[in-house]
Amino acid sequence: MDNLELAQHMLEAARAKGVMVATAESCTGGLIAAALTDIPGSSEMVDRGFVSYSNEAKYEMLGVQKATLKAHGAVSEEVAGEMAQGALARSKAGLAVAVTGIAGPGGTEQKPEGRVCFGIATADGCKTETVDFGAIGRGDVRAETVRHALRLMLAALKA
């Protein structure tokens, strides 16, 4: 299933549940929101998207704690979770997804190229996970991140 089909299914699930969605994106720079808003009628289910590429944007726009950024770095499940919770709190959404990662090129041994941390927040709480896509190239890491985020959103709506 490609990203367009995933986005369509996710929006149908959101519509069926009456849930609006929001995104908080770093490494994807708005590509998740773009995938969702490529679907006609998406304005019924998409409330807003936050592009928080810099650390400053993460704490100014989403309320990520400076201490969290300092202790764990921007590419961490802790930050992804706070991003998702911040997007949920600062929107009319009932579901928020957040992504932060290293699309490449570059990275370190501790945080390699292709590592992306995800957060999914609802009124019931927040779940996080990390996926290592590998050094597959910046564009492919970003595309796989969008696909994985859409799958996580769809799974959360079907839970």
Side-chain angles (χ1 to χ4, degrees), residues 1-8 35 143-144 146-148 150:
M1 189 177 317
D2 68 15
N3 286 355
L4 189 64
E5 291 172 307
L6 272 171
Q8 179 71 45
E144 289 300 321
V146 171
R147 183 175 343 299
H148 193 73
L150 291 170

Side-chain angles (χ1 to χ4, degrees), residues 9-129:
H9 287 303
M10 198 287 302
L11 289 172
E12 288 169 1
R15 187 173 290 111
K17 287 231 172 171
V19 174
M20 293 195 79
V21 300
T23 65
E25 304 179 59
S26 186
C27 61
T28 50
L31 293 174
I32 300 166
L36 293 171
T37 58
D38 275 347
I39 308 298
S42 59
S43 60
E44 294 175 31
M45 304 288 62
V46 179
D47 180 51
R48 66 192 73 193
F50 299 89
V51 176
S52 55
Y53 211 69
S54 70
N55 286 349
E56 292 78 18
K58 287 174 181 63
Y59 63 77
E60 288 174 5
M61 293 170 57
L62 298 168
V64 173
Q65 298 297 305
K66 290 180 183 179
T68 306
L69 284 161
K70 185 175 181 178
H72 303 283
V75 180
S76 64
E77 289 187 22
E78 292 83 1
V79 168
E82 288 187 18
M83 288 171 66
Q85 291 169 323
L88 192 69
R90 290 161 175 78
S91 70
K92 293 179 170 69
L95 172 70
V97 65
V99 297
T100 181
I102 302 172
T108 66
E109 193 171 307
Q110 294 79 24
K111 294 186 181 182
E113 180 178 335
R115 176 167 294 171
V116 180
C117 300
F118 296 82
I120 293 281
T122 66
D124 294 330
C126 184
K127 295 180 183 176
T128 61
E129 67 179 49

